[in-house]
Amino acid sequence: MRAKTKMIHGGITGDEQTGAVSVPIYQVSTYKQDHVGEHRGYEYSRTGNPTRHALEQVIADLENGASGFAFGSGMAAITSVMMLLDADDHVVMTDDVYGGTYRLMTSVLNRFNLDHTYVDTSYPEKVEAAITERTKALYIETPTNPLLKITDIKKMTEIAKKHDLLLIVDNTFATPYWQQPLDLGADIVLHSATKYIGGHSDVVAGLVVVNATDLAKQIHFIQNSVGGVLGPQDSWLLMRGIKTLALRMEAIEKNAHNIVEFLQAHDKVSTIYYPGMENHHGHDIAKQQATGFGGMISFDVGSGERADEVLDRVRYFTLAESLGAVESLISVPAKMTHASIPPERRAELGITDGLIRVSVGIEDSADLIEDLAEALK
Ligand SMILES: *Cc1c(COP(=O)(O)O)cnc(C)c1O
């Protein structure tokens, strides 16, 4: 089955009993047992719920993995994956990881002596250099937020194999439609499904897919023990989102391409970050390991004041955090998504005050371009 067909026919489709074409929402916590200890596959909805299970099957199919798991948020998914590790273990991570992941590592998991080192994973030699005897996992995001840095997943696989590390990939920005890290050798792929997978700014959720049954057993044990599961309504919403993921990503990609062309020709825009541009650092790798470049674009307008002005003046771009929805969103990372990162560190990473990030939606790109042109005047 090809990707577009999988989004409609992958996983569990419909309901055997009634012929319903959409998986029912099993709004239930517990299940009648036929005899003591004899159930029909479900006992209690933290352990397993049929609607959540259908979602977990389809995401496993889309990522070509062994098993999928759904959580109450991307952060719950990431935390559960980190629970695979022990105190005194060490993780090498992409330096501009999602702000919430940064906070989790530096302000929560550090208290349990789970150590980490941030490196620019777009340089494999820096990754090698950061590995110690205690390193157990390599955690990457590609493309990253908001500078769209690209990490070579195959290279990371080689390093992970050599040092016996778990390779974990946050695939939120690329989506399983454009990029399948497990096929490139990763052990675990995860998503904030709040973004492109849900796609409609109406659900907060996280997904994890693993490449092997022993990892699946461990993640299921953690999911059931820690309990950050996704509810049946939200599971259903994600399945609904997945049905149009391919169409949305194609439309978003076209719009992004048009907007980048407009920005490149604009004299008030200095640096543009978009993996689809030939001069973008990592463009060749992005082209090799993904079939699309995605809908996130960042660009610099020179100062925080100018960025504020632009954001005040846009009409179709909604000023909001988050990304990956049908509606175009716009933000200033330094004051919004990345405000919790200390200014010195932001400067190190290249997240300037004048940097604007857009998440391109599926509106008519001519309107989006007119909107930006007016706001940039
Ligand atoms: C949003 C996001 C997360 C966190 O997901 P939530 O659903 O908000 O908990 C993790 N990684 C990336 C890349 C994200 O964009």
Side-chain angles (χ1 to χ4, degrees), residues 131-321:
I131 293 169
T132 72
E133 272 162 30
R134 295 196 289 123
T135 310
K136 294 289 159 54
L138 177 50
Y139 182 105
I140 62 166
E141 259 176 55
T142 180
T144 63
N145 174 24
L147 298 176
L148 290 315
K149 287 203 269 188
I150 303 295
T151 293
D152 188 331
I153 301 173
K154 270 195 183 152
K155 280 257 162 64
M156 294 303 117
T157 298
E158 283 166 25
I159 296 173
K161 291 240 152 74
K162 187 169 144 200
H163 298 274
D164 200 18
L165 313 177
L166 268 183
L167 176 58
I168 306 161
V169 182
D170 183 333
N171 203 28
T172 302
F173 272 38
T175 81
Y177 185 57
W178 294 136
Q179 180 169 279
Q180 289 106 27
L182 299 184
D183 286 355
L184 301 171
D187 300 293
I188 300 176
V189 59
L190 57 88
H191 291 275
S192 167
T194 313
K195 317 294 167 52
Y196 290 106
I197 291 179
H200 295 73
S201 307
D202 53 12
V203 57
V204 172
L207 295 170
V208 173
V209 181
V210 299
N211 69 348
T213 46
D214 57 328
L215 265 180
K217 276 200 192 121
Q218 293 178 56
I219 292 280
H220 184 256
F221 181 79
I222 292 166
Q223 184 190 40
N224 189 41
S225 304
V226 179
V229 294
L230 190 66
Q233 296 266 354
D234 288 347
S235 296
W236 188 89
L237 276 171
L238 287 194
M239 282 190 279
R240 174 156 154 151
I242 285 171
K243 288 184 210 279
T244 59
L245 180 63
L247 294 181
R248 286 185 285 112
M249 294 318 290
E250 299 270 2
I252 285 169
E253 183 89 4
K254 276 204 191 108
N255 280 354
H257 181 86
N258 293 340
I259 290 171
V260 166
E261 269 190 351
F262 159 78
L263 292 172
Q264 282 174 322
H266 202 288
D267 60 359
K268 299 232 169 77
V269 174
S270 53
T271 323
I272 303 167
Y273 301 91
Y274 184 66
M277 298 186 319
E278 275 172 28
N279 63 354
H280 185 84
H281 186 245
H283 168 77
D284 291 337
I285 295 161
K287 213 165 139 181
Q288 271 168 33
Q289 68 187 12
T291 47
F293 301 111
M296 300 303 298
I297 308 165
S298 294
F299 57 97
D300 206 314
V301 294
S303 71
E305 293 74 51
R306 280 200 52 81
D308 285 359
E309 264 169 43
V310 172
L311 268 67
D312 280 342
R313 294 174 65 174
V314 283
R315 290 177 305 148
Y316 297 133
F317 283 89
T318 304
L319 169 54
E321 295 199 358

Side-chain angles (χ1 to χ4, degrees), residues 4-25:
K4 275 186 185 162
T5 311
K6 266 192 208 170
M7 287 176 193
I8 309 298
H9 297 287
I12 294 167
T13 49
D15 177 40
E16 283 285 321
Q17 209 163 2
T18 60
V21 173
S22 133
V23 174
I25 299 170

Side-chain angles (χ1 to χ4, degrees), residues 20-153:
V21 173
S22 133
V23 174
I25 299 170
Y26 284 90
Q27 191 69 53
V28 63
S29 61
T30 192
Y31 304 79
K32 177 176 179 289
Q33 306 198 357
D34 295 328
H35 300 285
V36 178
E38 215 177 275
H39 58 77
R40 303 176 207 172
Y42 297 96
E43 298 165 85
Y44 187 63
S45 281
R46 169 160 38 73
T47 317
N49 170 282
T51 315
R52 193 178 89 222
H53 185 228
L55 166 67
E56 293 175 333
Q57 292 282 105
V58 71
I59 190 63
D61 273 3
L62 295 182
E63 290 284 9
N64 297 321
S67 296
F69 301 91
F71 295 88
S73 70
M75 288 321 303
I78 294 167
T79 304
S80 298
V81 166
M82 291 298 177
M83 295 284 121
L84 289 168
L85 303 170
D86 292 321
D88 298 325
D89 283 353
H90 172 253
V91 188
V92 174
M93 303 187 88
T94 299
D95 57 2
D96 55 348
V97 278
Y98 175 72
T101 309
Y102 176 86
R103 181 173 56 200
L104 174 72
M105 298 308 293
T106 53
S107 307
V108 182
L109 296 181
N110 62 315
R111 295 194 282 112
F112 301 88
N113 289 343
L114 184 60
D115 255 343
H116 60 276
T117 302
Y118 294 115
V119 297
D120 184 343
T121 51
S122 49
Y123 296 93
E125 62 280 12
K126 292 189 185 174
V127 174
E128 283 264 14
I131 293 169
T132 72
E133 272 162 30
R134 295 196 289 123
T135 310
K136 294 289 159 54
L138 177 50
Y139 182 105
I140 62 166
E141 259 176 55
T142 180
T144 63
N145 174 24
L147 298 176
L148 290 315
K149 287 203 269 188
I150 303 295
T151 293
D152 188 331
I153 301 173

